[in-house]
Coordinates of all heavy atoms in Angstrom, one line a residue:
R149 N 6.8 9.2 14.1 CA 8.2 9.7 14.0 C 9.2 8.7 14.6 O 10.2 8.4 14.0 CB 8.4 11.1 14.6 CG 9.9 11.5 14.5 CD 10.1 13.0 15.0 NE 11.5 13.3 14.9 CZ 12.0 14.5 15.2 NH1 11.1 15.5 15.6 NH2 13.3 14.8 15.1
Y150 N 8.8 8.1 15.7 CA 9.8 7.3 16.5 C 9.3 5.9 16.6 O 8.1 5.6 16.6 CB 10.0 7.9 17.9 CG 10.5 9.3 17.9 CD1 9.7 10.3 18.4 CD2 11.8 9.6 17.5 CE1 10.2 11.6 18.5 CE2 12.3 10.9 17.6 CZ 11.5 11.9 18.1 OH 12.0 13.2 18.1
A151 N 10.3 5.0 16.6 CA 10.1 3.6 17.0 C 11.3 3.2 17.8 O 12.3 3.8 17.8 CB 10.0 2.7 15.7
Y152 N 11.1 2.0 18.5 CA 12.2 1.6 19.4 C 12.4 0.1 19.1 O 11.4 -0.7 19.0 CB 11.7 1.8 20.9 CG 11.3 3.2 21.1 CD1 10.0 3.6 21.0 CD2 12.2 4.2 21.5 CE1 9.6 4.9 21.2 CE2 11.8 5.5 21.7 CZ 10.5 5.8 21.5 OH 10.1 7.1 21.7
V153 N 13.6 -0.3 19.0 CA 14.0 -1.7 18.6 C 15.1 -2.3 19.4 O 15.9 -1.5 20.0 CB 14.4 -1.7 17.1 CG1 13.3 -1.3 16.2 CG2 15.6 -0.8 16.9
G154 N 15.1 -3.6 19.5 CA 16.3 -4.3 20.0 C 17.3 -4.3 18.9 O 17.0 -4.5 17.7
A155 N 18.6 -4.0 19.2 CA 19.6 -3.8 18.1 C 20.9 -4.3 18.5 O 21.2 -4.5 19.7 CB 19.7 -2.3 17.8
S156 N 21.7 -4.6 17.5 CA 23.1 -5.0 17.7 C 23.9 -3.8 18.2 O 23.6 -2.7 17.9 CB 23.7 -5.6 16.4 OG 23.7 -4.6 15.4
R157 N 25.0 -4.1 18.9 CA 25.9 -3.1 19.3 C 26.7 -2.5 18.1 O 27.0 -1.4 18.0 CB 26.9 -3.6 20.4 CG 26.2 -4.0 21.7 CD 27.2 -4.5 22.7 NE 27.8 -3.3 23.4 CZ 29.0 -3.3 23.9 NH1 29.7 -4.4 23.8 NH2 29.5 -2.3 24.5
H158 N 27.1 -3.4 17.2 CA 27.9 -3.0 16.1 C 27.0 -2.5 15.0 O 25.9 -3.0 14.8 CB 28.7 -4.2 15.5 CG 29.8 -3.8 14.6 ND1 29.5 -3.6 13.2 CD2 31.1 -3.6 14.7 CE1 30.6 -3.3 12.6 NE2 31.6 -3.3 13.5
P159 N 27.3 -1.4 14.3 CA 26.4 -0.8 13.4 C 26.2 -1.6 12.1 O 25.2 -1.2 11.4 CB 27.1 0.6 13.0 CG 28.6 0.3 13.3 CD 28.6 -0.7 14.5
T160 N 27.0 -2.6 11.8 CA 26.8 -3.3 10.5 C 26.8 -4.8 10.7 O 26.2 -5.6 9.9 CB 27.8 -2.9 9.5 OG1 29.2 -3.2 10.0 CG2 27.7 -1.4 9.2
R161 N 27.5 -5.4 11.7 CA 27.7 -6.8 11.8 C 26.4 -7.5 12.3 O 25.7 -6.9 13.0 CB 28.9 -7.2 12.7 CG 30.2 -6.7 12.2 CD 31.3 -7.0 13.2 NE 32.6 -6.5 12.8 CZ 33.6 -6.4 13.6 NH1 33.6 -6.9 14.9 NH2 34.8 -6.0 13.2
A162 N 26.3 -8.8 11.8 CA 25.2 -9.6 12.4 C 25.5 -10.1 13.8 O 26.5 -10.8 14.0 CB 25.0 -10.8 11.4
Q163 N 24.8 -9.6 14.7 CA 25.1 -9.8 16.1 C 23.8 -10.0 16.9 O 22.7 -9.5 16.4 CB 25.9 -8.7 16.8 CG 27.3 -8.6 16.3 CD 28.1 -7.5 17.0 OE1 27.6 -6.6 17.6 NE2 29.4 -7.6 16.9
P164 N 23.8 -10.6 18.1 CA 22.6 -10.6 19.0 C 22.2 -9.2 19.4 O 22.9 -8.3 19.3 CB 23.1 -11.5 20.1 CG 24.5 -11.3 20.2 CD 25.0 -11.2 18.8
L165 N 21.0 -9.1 19.9 CA 20.4 -7.8 20.3 C 20.9 -7.5 21.7 O 20.6 -8.2 22.6 CB 18.9 -7.9 20.3 CG 18.3 -8.4 19.0 CD1 16.7 -8.3 19.1 CD2 18.7 -7.6 17.8
Q166 N 21.7 -6.4 21.8 CA 22.4 -6.1 23.0 C 22.1 -4.6 23.4 O 22.7 -4.2 24.4 CB 23.9 -6.4 23.0 CG 24.2 -7.9 22.8 CD 25.7 -8.2 22.8 OE1 26.4 -8.0 21.8 NE2 26.2 -8.6 24.0
C167 N 21.3 -3.9 22.7 CA 21.0 -2.6 23.1 C 19.6 -2.2 22.6 O 19.0 -2.9 21.8 CB 22.0 -1.6 22.5 SG 22.0 -1.4 20.7
W168 N 19.0 -1.2 23.2 CA 17.8 -0.6 22.7 C 18.1 0.7 22.0 O 18.8 1.5 22.4 CB 16.8 -0.3 23.9 CG 16.3 -1.6 24.5 CD1 16.0 -2.8 23.9 CD2 15.8 -1.7 25.9 NE1 15.5 -3.6 24.8 CE2 15.3 -3.0 26.0 CE3 15.8 -0.8 27.0 CZ2 14.8 -3.5 27.2 CZ3 15.3 -1.3 28.2 CH2 14.8 -2.6 28.3
M169 N 17.5 0.7 20.8 CA 17.8 1.9 19.9 C 16.5 2.6 19.6 O 15.5 2.0 19.3 CB 18.5 1.4 18.6 CG 19.0 2.5 17.7 SD 19.9 1.9 16.3 CE 18.6 1.3 15.3
K170 N 16.6 3.9 19.6 CA 15.5 4.8 19.2 C 15.7 5.2 17.7 O 16.8 5.6 17.3 CB 15.5 6.1 20.0 CG 14.4 7.1 19.7 CD 14.5 8.3 20.7 CE 13.4 9.3 20.5 NZ 13.6 10.4 21.4
V171 N 14.6 4.9 16.9 CA 14.7 5.2 15.5 C 13.9 6.4 15.1 O 12.7 6.5 15.5 CB 14.1 3.9 14.7 CG1 14.2 4.2 13.2 CG2 14.9 2.7 15.1
D172 N 14.5 7.3 14.4 CA 13.8 8.6 14.0 C 13.6 8.5 12.5 O 14.5 8.6 11.7 CB 14.7 9.8 14.3 CG 14.0 11.1 14.1 OD1 13.0 11.1 13.4 OD2 14.5 12.1 14.6
Y173 N 12.3 8.4 12.1 CA 11.9 8.3 10.7 C 11.8 9.6 10.0 O 11.5 9.7 8.8 CB 10.5 7.5 10.6 CG 10.7 6.0 10.8 CD1 10.5 5.5 12.0 CD2 10.9 5.2 9.7 CE1 10.7 4.1 12.2 CE2 11.0 3.8 9.9 CZ 10.9 3.3 11.1 OH 11.0 1.9 11.3
S174 N 12.0 10.7 10.7 CA 11.7 12.0 10.1 C 12.8 12.3 9.0 O 12.5 13.2 8.1 CB 11.8 13.1 11.1 OG 13.1 13.2 11.7
T175 N 13.9 11.6 8.9 CA 14.9 11.8 7.9 C 14.8 10.9 6.7 O 15.6 11.1 5.8 CB 16.3 11.6 8.5 OG1 16.4 10.3 9.1 CG2 16.5 12.6 9.7
V176 N 13.8 10.0 6.7 CA 13.7 9.1 5.6 C 13.4 9.8 4.3 O 14.1 9.4 3.2 CB 12.6 8.0 5.9 CG1 12.4 7.1 4.7 CG2 13.0 7.2 7.1
T177 N 12.5 10.7 4.2 CA 12.2 11.4 3.0 C 13.3 12.2 2.4 O 13.4 12.4 1.2 CB 10.9 12.2 3.2 OG1 11.2 13.2 4.2 CG2 9.7 11.4 3.5
T178 N 14.2 12.7 3.2 CA 15.2 13.6 2.7 C 16.5 12.8 2.5 O 17.3 13.1 1.6 CB 15.5 14.7 3.7 OG1 15.8 14.2 5.0 CG2 14.3 15.6 3.8
E179 N 16.8 11.8 3.4 CA 18.1 11.1 3.3 C 18.0 9.7 3.0 O 19.0 9.0 2.7 CB 18.8 11.3 4.7 CG 19.0 12.8 5.1 CD 19.7 12.9 6.4 OE1 20.3 11.9 6.9 OE2 19.6 14.0 7.0
G180 N 16.8 9.1 3.0 CA 16.6 7.7 2.7 C 17.1 6.8 3.9 O 17.3 5.6 3.7
R181 N 17.4 7.4 5.0 CA 17.9 6.6 6.2 C 17.2 7.2 7.4 O 16.8 8.3 7.4 CB 19.5 6.8 6.3 CG 20.3 6.5 5.1 CD 20.4 5.0 4.8 NE 21.4 4.5 5.7 CZ 21.9 3.2 5.6 NH1 21.3 2.4 4.7 NH2 22.8 2.7 6.4
V182 N 17.2 6.3 8.4 CA 16.6 6.8 9.7 C 17.7 7.3 10.6 O 18.9 7.0 10.5 CB 15.9 5.6 10.4 CG1 14.7 5.1 9.7 CG2 16.9 4.4 10.7
G183 N 17.3 8.2 11.5 CA 18.2 8.6 12.6 C 18.3 7.5 13.6 O 17.3 6.8 13.9
E184 N 19.5 7.3 14.3 CA 19.7 6.3 15.3 C 20.2 6.9 16.6 O 21.1 7.7 16.5 CB 20.7 5.2 14.8 CG 20.2 4.5 13.5 CD 21.3 3.5 13.0 OE1 22.3 3.2 13.8 OE2 21.1 2.9 12.0
Q185 N 19.6 6.5 17.7 CA 20.1 6.9 19.0 C 20.0 5.7 19.9 O 19.0 5.2 20.2 CB 19.3 8.0 19.5 CG 19.8 8.5 20.9 CD 18.8 9.5 21.5 OE1 17.8 9.9 21.0 NE2 19.2 10.0 22.7
V186 N 21.2 5.2 20.4 CA 21.2 4.1 21.4 C 20.8 4.6 22.7 O 21.5 5.5 23.3 CB 22.6 3.4 21.4 CG1 22.6 2.4 22.5 CG2 22.9 2.8 20.1
L187 N 19.7 4.2 23.2 CA 19.2 4.6 24.5 C 19.7 3.8 25.7 O 19.9 4.3 26.8 CB 17.7 4.6 24.6 CG 16.9 5.5 23.6 CD1 15.4 5.3 23.7 CD2 17.3 7.0 23.9
Y188 N 20.0 2.5 25.4 CA 20.5 1.6 26.5 C 21.4 0.6 25.9 O 21.1 -0.1 24.9 CB 19.4 1.0 27.2 CG 19.9 0.0 28.3 CD1 20.4 0.4 29.5 CD2 19.8 -1.4 28.1 CE1 20.9 -0.5 30.4 CE2 20.2 -2.3 29.0 CZ 20.8 -1.8 30.2 OH 21.3 -2.7 31.2
D189 N 22.6 0.4 26.4 CA 23.6 -0.6 25.9 C 23.8 -1.5 27.1 O 24.3 -1.1 28.2 CB 24.9 0.1 25.6 CG 25.9 -0.8 24.9 OD1 25.9 -2.0 25.2 OD2 26.7 -0.3 24.1

Side-chain angles (χ1 to χ4, degrees):
R149 176 173 178 177
Y150 300 113
Y152 308 90
V153 295
S156 61
R157 299 182 77 208
H158 195 277
T160 59
R161 294 176 185 171
Q163 291 183 341
L165 309 182
Q166 296 185 281
C167 65
W168 287 334
M169 187 174 75
K170 181 179 183 178
V171 180
D172 186 347
Y173 283 90
S174 66
T175 59
V176 172
T177 55
T178 57
E179 302 176 18
R181 309 282 282 186
V182 294
E184 300 180 5
Q185 179 186 3
V186 174
L187 295 177
Y188 177 74
D189 188 332

